[in-house]
Amino acid sequence: MPTMIRDAAVGLIILSATLALSLALGAGPARAVEGGASHYITGAYGDFLMGYIPGPGLFIRNDTFYQSAHMDSTFKGGKIYAGIDETMVMNITKLSYLFDVPAMGGFLGIGVGVPIIINEHITGEVSADYTLRSRQTGIDQPHSLDIDGGGDRGGLSDIFIMPVIAGWNLGECHLVVSPIIFLPTGYYNPDKLTNLGMNYLTFDGNVAFTWLSKSGFELSVNAGYMVNTENMTTGYLSGNQIHADWTLACHVNDRFALGAVGYLLAQTTPDSGEGATMGGFASSGTGIGPIVTYTLPVAGKDVMLVAKWLHGLGATNSFLGDSIYGSFAMTF
């Protein structure tokens, strides 16, 4: 049974990679998911032991990351923006509580995440091409409009809740099911490039799998499907997205491990709604990088420290760049 589950996880990675890369390399210029961003943060799900719950208790995790990315163009608030550059520092605190449930042979719990954007800086230009007829000659002449946009902003972003967390440890194989609901709690203005939230609900179904061999080799995969609701302010319904984060690692001992981490993203349905005046298109992206962890004993508790860097390899109609994470986690 573990061999079958392991083979299925490897197949999921290969299938997701093929889909994301084909979309990233084969699609033409277009706009997708409003503003070119969604509730999925590139690489945020990727971690060690994504499908493993060590036991019951209160789990605390804190992630701070820096992101620098670029996008050629996007569509937001009825305007086309070109040459988008973003730098952002965000902190996410996640709390979860798990109970041991013998009747189901595993664990059951709930969780909540509170993201705070320390600062987000976006630059871009509102651009449009149009023609005007000369009063003197009566001939149409091409014109262009370029207006600077963007700025800085920080504060509360979109809080997310995990109404159900269910996990099972099956020998070397481990499984966690944890749907996530993102709430529109962050600042939003359709006339601004720099926003703190998406202004719509997102339902994200997630399944995480970990295979950890006795020799210390690890394969972990988290796959999710995001269903976006309509932005009532702009009438824009962003398409649904599938995402997968994976980790390949070697646990040198009980406290130290290192490996590679990556993400895959692909849009599965077109954008729609009254606000999608540019039509419905598809976004995609993929990236990879190193990851390392070390567990420190602090005041009788083990504190897990994690650092990772993800470099974007390709993207279509979404941000492409680098993300650096510093995290810690502990159990009470």
Side-chain angles (χ1 to χ4, degrees):
M1 187 65 174
T3 301
M4 294 175 62
I5 298 177
R6 184 170 69 246
D7 292 344
V10 174
L12 175 61
I13 292 177
I14 296 173
L15 178 62
S16 301
T18 302
L19 175 62
L21 286 174
S22 63
L23 287 172
L25 296 176
R31 281 88 191 169
V33 291
E34 188 174 17
S38 70
H39 279 119
Y40 175 75
I41 301 174
T42 54
Y45 290 66
D47 199 4
F48 293 98
L49 305 174
M50 287 183 278
Y52 174 64
I53 296 176
L58 175 65
F59 295 81
I60 298 177
R61 183 182 177 95
N62 184 272
D63 300 275
T64 299
F65 73 92
Y66 167 82
Q67 180 174 282
S68 176
H70 174 81
M71 182 166 44
D72 291 336
S73 63
T74 191
F75 183 72
K76 185 175 183 179
K79 303 180 183 69
I80 299 174
Y81 292 88
I84 313 301
D85 290 296
E86 177 200 43
T87 57
M88 178 176 64
V89 179
M90 176 184 278
N91 182 271
I92 303 174
T93 300
K94 185 171 69 175
L95 303 175
S96 56
Y97 195 89
L98 278 299
F99 302 89
D100 189 359
V101 184
M104 60 176 282
F107 303 97
L108 196 64
I110 58 175
V112 62
V114 181
I116 302 293
I117 294 179
I118 299 172
N119 186 66
E120 182 181 27
H121 177 74
I122 297 181
T123 60
E125 292 183 344
V126 182
S127 62
D129 295 323
Y130 60 98
T131 60
L132 286 179
R133 178 164 295 180
S134 173
R135 293 182 179 179
Q136 297 177 345
T137 65
I139 299 175
D140 290 338
Q141 296 179 340
H143 288 73
S144 63
L145 171 68
D146 293 293
I147 303 174
D148 291 335
D152 293 86
R153 192 173 299 276
L156 177 68
S157 187
D158 287 349
I159 294 173
F160 57 91
I161 59 175
M162 293 162 282
V164 177
I165 303 173
W168 296 266
N169 296 326
L170 309 170
E172 293 185 353
C173 296
H174 313 272
L175 186 69
V176 172
V177 178
S178 58
I180 302 175
I181 302 174
F182 291 86
L183 307 175
T185 56
Y187 168 88
Y188 179 81
N189 186 331
D191 296 324
K192 301 291 184 181
L193 266 177
T194 309
N195 285 296
L196 305 180
M198 299 291 115
N199 200 46
Y200 55 78
L201 283 166
T202 295
F203 302 93
D204 187 15
N206 281 279
V207 178
F209 167 83
T210 290
W211 171 59
L212 180 62
S213 71
K214 294 180 180 179
S215 61
F217 178 78
E218 176 193 347
L219 166 64
S220 288
V221 179
N222 183 98
Y225 189 74
M226 280 188 162
V227 178
N228 299 308
T229 62
E230 183 177 337
N231 184 335
M232 300 305 293
T233 301
T234 61
Y236 199 107
L237 177 58
S238 295
N240 300 333
Q241 296 172 302
I242 186 171
H243 59 86
D245 292 74
W246 57 267
T247 301
L248 291 173
C250 175
H251 292 255
V252 179
N253 51 48
D254 292 339
R255 295 191 176 274
F256 177 68
L258 73 167
V261 64
Y263 68 88
L264 308 161
L265 174 69
Q267 189 170 332
T268 60
T269 63
D271 300 339
S272 59
E274 295 181 359
T277 56
M278 298 299 295
F281 301 97
S283 60
S284 63
T286 184
I288 192 173
I291 185 170
V292 62
T293 183
Y294 188 79
T295 302
L296 287 174
V298 178
K301 299 288 184 180
D302 283 339
V303 179
M304 182 181 180
L305 305 177
V306 181
K308 62 182 177 181
W309 164 50
L310 288 117
H311 175 68
L313 298 178
T316 300
N317 310 316
S318 60
F319 282 102
L320 177 66
D322 294 275
S323 300
I324 301 174
Y325 289 78
S327 312
F328 71 87
M330 59 189 305
T331 306
F332 291 90

PDB file of all heavy atoms in Angstrom, residues 32-56:
ATOM      1  N   ALA A  32      -5.448  37.508 -16.790  1.00  0.00           N
ATOM      2  CA  ALA A  32      -6.104  36.414 -16.102  1.00  0.00           C
ATOM      3  C   ALA A  32      -6.043  36.637 -14.600  1.00  0.00           C
ATOM      4  O   ALA A  32      -5.113  37.257 -14.117  1.00  0.00           O
ATOM      5  CB  ALA A  32      -5.439  35.087 -16.458  1.00  0.00           C
ATOM      6  N   VAL A  33      -7.002  36.105 -13.883  1.00  0.00           N
ATOM      7  CA  VAL A  33      -7.268  36.392 -12.480  1.00  0.00           C
ATOM      8  C   VAL A  33      -7.075  37.881 -12.219  1.00  0.00           C
ATOM      9  O   VAL A  33      -6.052  38.451 -12.533  1.00  0.00           O
ATOM     10  CB  VAL A  33      -6.429  35.538 -11.505  1.00  0.00           C
ATOM     11  CG1 VAL A  33      -6.864  34.105 -11.562  1.00  0.00           C
ATOM     12  CG2 VAL A  33      -4.948  35.651 -11.682  1.00  0.00           C
ATOM     13  N   GLU A  34      -8.074  38.511 -11.689  1.00  0.00           N
ATOM     14  CA  GLU A  34      -8.098  39.961 -11.585  1.00  0.00           C
ATOM     15  C   GLU A  34      -6.843  40.509 -10.928  1.00  0.00           C
ATOM     16  O   GLU A  34      -6.477  40.105  -9.825  1.00  0.00           O
ATOM     17  CB  GLU A  34      -9.329  40.386 -10.788  1.00  0.00           C
ATOM     18  CG  GLU A  34      -9.562  41.886 -10.787  1.00  0.00           C
ATOM     19  CD  GLU A  34     -10.856  42.253 -10.106  1.00  0.00           C
ATOM     20  OE1 GLU A  34     -11.402  41.401  -9.376  1.00  0.00           O
ATOM     21  OE2 GLU A  34     -11.322  43.385 -10.302  1.00  0.00           O
ATOM     22  N   GLY A  35      -6.172  41.412 -11.613  1.00  0.00           N
ATOM     23  CA  GLY A  35      -4.945  41.992 -11.091  1.00  0.00           C
ATOM     24  C   GLY A  35      -3.729  41.095 -11.206  1.00  0.00           C
ATOM     25  O   GLY A  35      -2.639  41.459 -10.763  1.00  0.00           O
ATOM     26  N   GLY A  36      -3.882  39.894 -11.792  1.00  0.00           N
ATOM     27  CA  GLY A  36      -2.748  38.993 -11.957  1.00  0.00           C
ATOM     28  C   GLY A  36      -2.331  38.263 -10.704  1.00  0.00           C
ATOM     29  O   GLY A  36      -1.297  37.593 -10.678  1.00  0.00           O
ATOM     30  N   ALA A  37      -3.129  38.366  -9.621  1.00  0.00           N
ATOM     31  CA  ALA A  37      -2.778  37.706  -8.361  1.00  0.00           C
ATOM     32  C   ALA A  37      -4.028  37.113  -7.739  1.00  0.00           C
ATOM     33  O   ALA A  37      -5.149  37.553  -8.008  1.00  0.00           O
ATOM     34  CB  ALA A  37      -2.127  38.694  -7.403  1.00  0.00           C
ATOM     35  N   SER A  38      -3.847  36.090  -6.906  1.00  0.00           N
ATOM     36  CA  SER A  38      -4.965  35.437  -6.235  1.00  0.00           C
ATOM     37  C   SER A  38      -4.581  35.180  -4.784  1.00  0.00           C
ATOM     38  O   SER A  38      -3.548  35.649  -4.304  1.00  0.00           O
ATOM     39  CB  SER A  38      -5.325  34.119  -6.938  1.00  0.00           C
ATOM     40  OG  SER A  38      -4.311  33.156  -6.730  1.00  0.00           O
ATOM     41  N   HIS A  39      -5.415  34.406  -4.088  1.00  0.00           N
ATOM     42  CA  HIS A  39      -5.109  34.074  -2.702  1.00  0.00           C
ATOM     43  C   HIS A  39      -3.974  33.052  -2.581  1.00  0.00           C
ATOM     44  O   HIS A  39      -3.470  32.820  -1.472  1.00  0.00           O
ATOM     45  CB  HIS A  39      -6.355  33.545  -1.991  1.00  0.00           C
ATOM     46  CG  HIS A  39      -7.290  34.622  -1.525  1.00  0.00           C
ATOM     47  ND1 HIS A  39      -8.595  34.731  -1.970  1.00  0.00           N
ATOM     48  CD2 HIS A  39      -7.105  35.664  -0.676  1.00  0.00           C
ATOM     49  CE1 HIS A  39      -9.166  35.772  -1.396  1.00  0.00           C
ATOM     50  NE2 HIS A  39      -8.290  36.357  -0.613  1.00  0.00           N
ATOM     51  N   TYR A  40      -3.602  32.441  -3.688  1.00  0.00           N
ATOM     52  CA  TYR A  40      -2.449  31.532  -3.647  1.00  0.00           C
ATOM     53  C   TYR A  40      -1.162  32.347  -3.697  1.00  0.00           C
ATOM     54  O   TYR A  40      -0.935  33.120  -4.630  1.00  0.00           O
ATOM     55  CB  TYR A  40      -2.478  30.548  -4.819  1.00  0.00           C
ATOM     56  CG  TYR A  40      -1.247  29.677  -4.873  1.00  0.00           C
ATOM     57  CD1 TYR A  40      -1.080  28.628  -3.980  1.00  0.00           C
ATOM     58  CD2 TYR A  40      -0.233  29.940  -5.797  1.00  0.00           C
ATOM     59  CE1 TYR A  40       0.058  27.842  -4.011  1.00  0.00           C
ATOM     60  CE2 TYR A  40       0.905  29.153  -5.837  1.00  0.00           C
ATOM     61  CZ  TYR A  40       1.047  28.116  -4.944  1.00  0.00           C
ATOM     62  OH  TYR A  40       2.180  27.344  -4.970  1.00  0.00           O
ATOM     63  N   ILE A  41      -0.327  32.195  -2.691  1.00  0.00           N
ATOM     64  CA  ILE A  41       0.982  32.851  -2.639  1.00  0.00           C
ATOM     65  C   ILE A  41       2.021  31.824  -3.074  1.00  0.00           C
ATOM     66  O   ILE A  41       2.113  30.730  -2.485  1.00  0.00           O
ATOM     67  CB  ILE A  41       1.303  33.364  -1.224  1.00  0.00           C
ATOM     68  CG1 ILE A  41       0.236  34.365  -0.776  1.00  0.00           C
ATOM     69  CG2 ILE A  41       2.683  34.017  -1.188  1.00  0.00           C
ATOM     70  CD1 ILE A  41       0.397  34.813   0.666  1.00  0.00           C
ATOM     71  N   THR A  42       2.791  32.158  -4.105  1.00  0.00           N
ATOM     72  CA  THR A  42       3.719  31.186  -4.691  1.00  0.00           C
ATOM     73  C   THR A  42       4.668  30.619  -3.644  1.00  0.00           C
ATOM     74  O   THR A  42       5.406  31.345  -2.991  1.00  0.00           O
ATOM     75  CB  THR A  42       4.537  31.836  -5.815  1.00  0.00           C
ATOM     76  OG1 THR A  42       5.166  33.026  -5.313  1.00  0.00           O
ATOM     77  CG2 THR A  42       3.648  32.223  -6.973  1.00  0.00           C
ATOM     78  N   GLY A  43       4.613  29.292  -3.494  1.00  0.00           N
ATOM     79  CA  GLY A  43       5.524  28.594  -2.602  1.00  0.00           C
ATOM     80  C   GLY A  43       5.144  28.592  -1.147  1.00  0.00           C
ATOM     81  O   GLY A  43       5.833  27.967  -0.328  1.00  0.00           O
ATOM     82  N   ALA A  44       4.035  29.256  -0.763  1.00  0.00           N
ATOM     83  CA  ALA A  44       3.699  29.376   0.654  1.00  0.00           C
ATOM     84  C   ALA A  44       3.312  28.032   1.276  1.00  0.00           C
ATOM     85  O   ALA A  44       3.514  27.813   2.470  1.00  0.00           O
ATOM     86  CB  ALA A  44       2.569  30.380   0.839  1.00  0.00           C
ATOM     87  N   TYR A  45       2.770  27.115   0.477  1.00  0.00           N
ATOM     88  CA  TYR A  45       2.328  25.835   1.016  1.00  0.00           C
ATOM     89  C   TYR A  45       3.492  24.842   1.155  1.00  0.00           C
ATOM     90  O   TYR A  45       3.397  23.866   1.890  1.00  0.00           O
ATOM     91  CB  TYR A  45       1.264  25.227   0.109  1.00  0.00           C
ATOM     92  CG  TYR A  45      -0.072  25.939   0.104  1.00  0.00           C
ATOM     93  CD1 TYR A  45      -0.195  27.231  -0.404  1.00  0.00           C
ATOM     94  CD2 TYR A  45      -1.227  25.320   0.568  1.00  0.00           C
ATOM     95  CE1 TYR A  45      -1.419  27.886  -0.433  1.00  0.00           C
ATOM     96  CE2 TYR A  45      -2.453  25.955   0.544  1.00  0.00           C
ATOM     97  CZ  TYR A  45      -2.538  27.249   0.044  1.00  0.00           C
ATOM     98  OH  TYR A  45      -3.745  27.892   0.013  1.00  0.00           O
ATOM     99  N   GLY A  46       4.566  25.066   0.410  1.00  0.00           N
ATOM    100  CA  GLY A  46       5.664  24.105   0.388  1.00  0.00           C
ATOM    101  C   GLY A  46       6.425  24.067   1.692  1.00  0.00           C
ATOM    102  O   GLY A  46       6.853  25.106   2.203  1.00  0.00           O
ATOM    103  N   ASP A  47       6.631  22.874   2.239  1.00  0.00           N
ATOM    104  CA  ASP A  47       7.292  22.741   3.538  1.00  0.00           C
ATOM    105  C   ASP A  47       7.727  21.293   3.742  1.00  0.00           C
ATOM    106  O   ASP A  47       7.363  20.400   2.974  1.00  0.00           O
ATOM    107  CB  ASP A  47       6.326  23.165   4.650  1.00  0.00           C
ATOM    108  CG  ASP A  47       7.041  23.506   5.946  1.00  0.00           C
ATOM    109  OD1 ASP A  47       8.285  23.500   5.970  1.00  0.00           O
ATOM    110  OD2 ASP A  47       6.350  23.769   6.942  1.00  0.00           O
ATOM    111  N   PHE A  48       8.484  21.077   4.804  1.00  0.00           N
ATOM    112  CA  PHE A  48       8.788  19.726   5.227  1.00  0.00           C
ATOM    113  C   PHE A  48       7.535  19.077   5.834  1.00  0.00           C
ATOM    114  O   PHE A  48       6.714  19.747   6.473  1.00  0.00           O
ATOM    115  CB  PHE A  48       9.901  19.719   6.282  1.00  0.00           C
ATOM    116  CG  PHE A  48      11.243  20.162   5.764  1.00  0.00           C
ATOM    117  CD1 PHE A  48      11.676  21.461   5.964  1.00  0.00           C
ATOM    118  CD2 PHE A  48      12.065  19.285   5.077  1.00  0.00           C
ATOM    119  CE1 PHE A  48      12.913  21.883   5.496  1.00  0.00           C
ATOM    120  CE2 PHE A  48      13.304  19.697   4.598  1.00  0.00           C
ATOM    121  CZ  PHE A  48      13.730  20.994   4.808  1.00  0.00           C
ATOM    122  N   LEU A  49       7.386  17.775   5.613  1.00  0.00           N
ATOM    123  CA  LEU A  49       6.359  16.969   6.282  1.00  0.00           C
ATOM    124  C   LEU A  49       4.968  17.594   6.178  1.00  0.00           C
ATOM    125  O   LEU A  49       4.237  17.710   7.162  1.00  0.00           O
ATOM    126  CB  LEU A  49       6.740  16.769   7.757  1.00  0.00           C
ATOM    127  CG  LEU A  49       8.131  16.172   8.010  1.00  0.00           C
ATOM    128  CD1 LEU A  49       8.437  16.158   9.496  1.00  0.00           C
ATOM    129  CD2 LEU A  49       8.236  14.764   7.431  1.00  0.00           C
ATOM    130  N   MET A  50       4.582  18.007   4.970  1.00  0.00           N
ATOM    131  CA  MET A  50       3.296  18.682   4.779  1.00  0.00           C
ATOM    132  C   MET A  50       2.110  17.803   5.148  1.00  0.00           C
ATOM    133  O   MET A  50       1.057  18.314   5.538  1.00  0.00           O
ATOM    134  CB  MET A  50       3.167  19.156   3.327  1.00  0.00           C
ATOM    135  CG  MET A  50       4.041  20.342   2.987  1.00  0.00           C
ATOM    136  SD  MET A  50       3.780  20.919   1.287  1.00  0.00           S
ATOM    137  CE  MET A  50       4.811  19.775   0.373  1.00  0.00           C
ATOM    138  N   GLY A  51       2.242  16.489   5.027  1.00  0.00           N
ATOM    139  CA  GLY A  51       1.130  15.600   5.328  1.00  0.00           C
ATOM    140  C   GLY A  51       1.228  14.921   6.675  1.00  0.00           C
ATOM    141  O   GLY A  51       0.466  13.973   6.940  1.00  0.00           O
ATOM    142  N   TYR A  52       2.119  15.393   7.549  1.00  0.00           N
ATOM    143  CA  TYR A  52       2.388  14.712   8.819  1.00  0.00           C
ATOM    144  C   TYR A  52       1.927  15.546   9.997  1.00  0.00           C
ATOM    145  O   TYR A  52       2.273  16.723  10.115  1.00  0.00           O
ATOM    146  CB  TYR A  52       3.880  14.414   8.936  1.00  0.00           C
ATOM    147  CG  TYR A  52       4.295  13.832  10.267  1.00  0.00           C
ATOM    148  CD1 TYR A  52       3.826  12.585  10.671  1.00  0.00           C
ATOM    149  CD2 TYR A  52       5.163  14.522  11.114  1.00  0.00           C
ATOM    150  CE1 TYR A  52       4.207  12.042  11.883  1.00  0.00           C
ATOM    151  CE2 TYR A  52       5.554  13.982  12.323  1.00  0.00           C
ATOM    152  CZ  TYR A  52       5.068  12.749  12.709  1.00  0.00           C
ATOM    153  OH  TYR A  52       5.445  12.212  13.920  1.00  0.00           O
ATOM    154  N   ILE A  53       1.116  14.946  10.875  1.00  0.00           N
ATOM    155  CA  ILE A  53       0.728  15.553  12.150  1.00  0.00           C
ATOM    156  C   ILE A  53       1.370  14.725  13.262  1.00  0.00           C
ATOM    157  O   ILE A  53       1.037  13.551  13.434  1.00  0.00           O
ATOM    158  CB  ILE A  53      -0.804  15.585  12.310  1.00  0.00           C
ATOM    159  CG1 ILE A  53      -1.428  16.477  11.228  1.00  0.00           C
ATOM    160  CG2 ILE A  53      -1.191  16.094  13.698  1.00  0.00           C
ATOM    161  CD1 ILE A  53      -2.941  16.487  11.240  1.00  0.00           C
ATOM    162  N   PRO A  54       2.307  15.310  14.031  1.00  0.00           N
ATOM    163  CA  PRO A  54       3.042  14.527  15.024  1.00  0.00           C
ATOM    164  C   PRO A  54       2.207  14.063  16.205  1.00  0.00           C
ATOM    165  O   PRO A  54       2.545  13.066  16.860  1.00  0.00           O
ATOM    166  CB  PRO A  54       4.138  15.492  15.486  1.00  0.00           C
ATOM    167  CG  PRO A  54       3.603  16.850  15.204  1.00  0.00           C
ATOM    168  CD  PRO A  54       2.773  16.704  13.959  1.00  0.00           C
ATOM    169  N   GLY A  55       1.106  14.763  16.512  1.00  0.00           N
ATOM    170  CA  GLY A  55       0.283  14.394  17.656  1.00  0.00           C
ATOM    171  C   GLY A  55      -0.720  15.480  17.960  1.00  0.00           C
ATOM    172  O   GLY A  55      -0.775  16.511  17.285  1.00  0.00           O
ATOM    173  N   PRO A  56      -1.544  15.273  18.984  1.00  0.00           N
ATOM    174  CA  PRO A  56      -2.532  16.291  19.339  1.00  0.00           C
ATOM    175  C   PRO A  56      -1.867  17.491  20.021  1.00  0.00           C
ATOM    176  O   PRO A  56      -0.741  17.402  20.511  1.00  0.00           O
ATOM    177  CB  PRO A  56      -3.460  15.548  20.302  1.00  0.00           C
ATOM    178  CG  PRO A  56      -2.587  14.502  20.926  1.00  0.00           C
ATOM    179  CD  PRO A  56      -1.625  14.078  19.846  1.00  0.00           C
TER     180      PRO A  56
END
